[in-house]
Amino acid sequence: MTPIITAFERSPDGGKGLARDMHVRWALEEAGQPYDVRLLSFKAMKEPEHLALHPFGQIPTYEEGDLALFESGAIVFHIAERHAGLLPDDANARARAITWMFAALNTMEPPIFDRDLAKVLDRDEPWYEQRLSALEDSIRKRLSDLSSRLGDADWLDGAFSAGDLLMVTVLRRLQGSGMLEEYPNLSAYVARGEARPAFKRAFDAQLAVFTAASTG
Ligand code: GTB
């Protein structure tokens, strides 16, 4: 059964692939699984039909037969568990890859997310520069630790995994900030992720939605 995911009808990121349907699209492409997409307006996301799928009225969701999931990390994990290519077979290596999935979402992403939020919501506050600087210090500490761990390896723990997929999607949010470039091995790591054919297919698919919405 072909899964159906939801995505923004018109993503506020301008087609940069930063909205979280990108995580799911990329995972499905890595797994070689076809999928359909249902596009939603901000209004439709808050209507009962969508709230039945997603309690917080957000994207992405994932429907496959009578299974309905929300939370991009859980969806990527579901795809990775059911298809080859995103989690190693060895039990310990698999547990470590899953650890990196959590590290991406629970350790790396929070200060990156908070910085994005502050840039939108707090820009006019008198304490904005101080807050931004504190958040950027937190981000640099995380990047520095991650950079040391990655060293000159291609991926975080052996072969490419769902842990790398989520880490690369999280780090991409820093593109344009200048911070990623301070850690050349992390910049190269993100570029390696973006060079994967599955990433490119996922990126092009979300960009096509944005382009159609802009020209239609
Ligand atoms: N924890 C959830 C998950 O991982 O699935 C978070 C889901 C989430 O934040 N969804 C966002 C959403 O639906 C879209 S992805 N927002 C609408 C709402 O809450 O009403 C987050 C996102 C949005 C926009 C950009 N951007 O423009 O750069 C980047 C990321």
Side-chain angles (χ1 to χ4, degrees):
M1 179 157 297
T2 304
I4 304 167
I5 69 168
T6 51
F8 282 131
E9 190 175 73
R10 192 189 180 96
S11 179
D13 72 357
K16 293 196 188 83
L18 297 176
R20 289 166 199 253
D21 57 296
M22 182 64 197
H23 309 30
V24 177
R25 290 176 187 271
W26 187 7
L28 286 163
E29 292 289 355
E30 290 285 350
Q33 291 301 305
Y35 60 96
D36 291 327
V37 184
R38 191 166 62 247
L39 301 175
L40 295 174
S41 64
F42 279 94
K43 181 171 172 285
M45 274 185 247
K46 308 301 173 198
E47 284 170 359
E49 193 182 339
H50 187 65
L51 287 169
L53 289 175
H54 196 308
F56 309 114
Q58 298 182 309
I59 58 100
T61 56
Y62 176 98
E63 293 155 81
E64 188 182 16
D66 56 8
L67 174 69
L69 297 174
F70 60 97
E71 280 299 329
S72 56
I75 299 169
V76 169
F77 183 48
H78 171 79
I79 296 164
E81 279 214 305
R82 274 156 185 78
H83 304 282
L86 284 166
L87 285 174
D89 291 335
D90 172 77
N92 286 355
R94 193 176 182 91
R96 290 195 303 273
I98 293 166
T99 299
W100 280 115
M101 295 177 69
F102 278 86
L105 300 179
N106 289 357
T107 300
M108 293 301 296
E109 187 166 49
I112 296 174
F113 177 85
D114 287 351
R115 175 179 178 275
D116 284 351
L117 209 58
K119 283 176 83 76
V120 174
L121 299 180
D122 301 334
R123 196 169 274 282
D124 296 331
E125 300 291 347
W127 39 261
Y128 172 66
E129 291 300 337
Q130 215 177 339
R131 166 94 175 129
L132 194 63
S133 166
L135 286 169
E136 292 187 348
D137 286 350
S138 303
I139 294 170
R140 285 194 173 90
K141 170 78 178 96
R142 295 292 186 223
L143 291 176
S144 169
D145 291 344
L146 186 69
S147 168
S148 299
R149 172 55 78 102
L150 180 66
D152 58 10
D154 279 354
W155 306 114
L156 289 166
D157 193 308
F160 176 84
S161 78
D164 295 296
L165 184 152
L166 291 180
M167 192 63 82
V168 168
T169 55
V170 165
L171 295 179
R172 288 187 73 245
R173 291 183 76 143
L174 289 172
Q175 285 173 335
S177 72
M179 276 186 281
L180 203 53
E181 291 71 15
E182 294 169 26
Y183 305 87
N185 67 336
L186 294 184
S187 290
Y189 171 66
V190 171
R192 241 180 333 269
E194 292 177 333
R196 292 180 71 82
F199 176 94
K200 289 185 181 171
R201 287 193 296 273
F203 184 88
D204 290 348
Q206 66 76 38
L207 181 59
V209 172
F210 182 80
T211 307
S214 308
T215 55

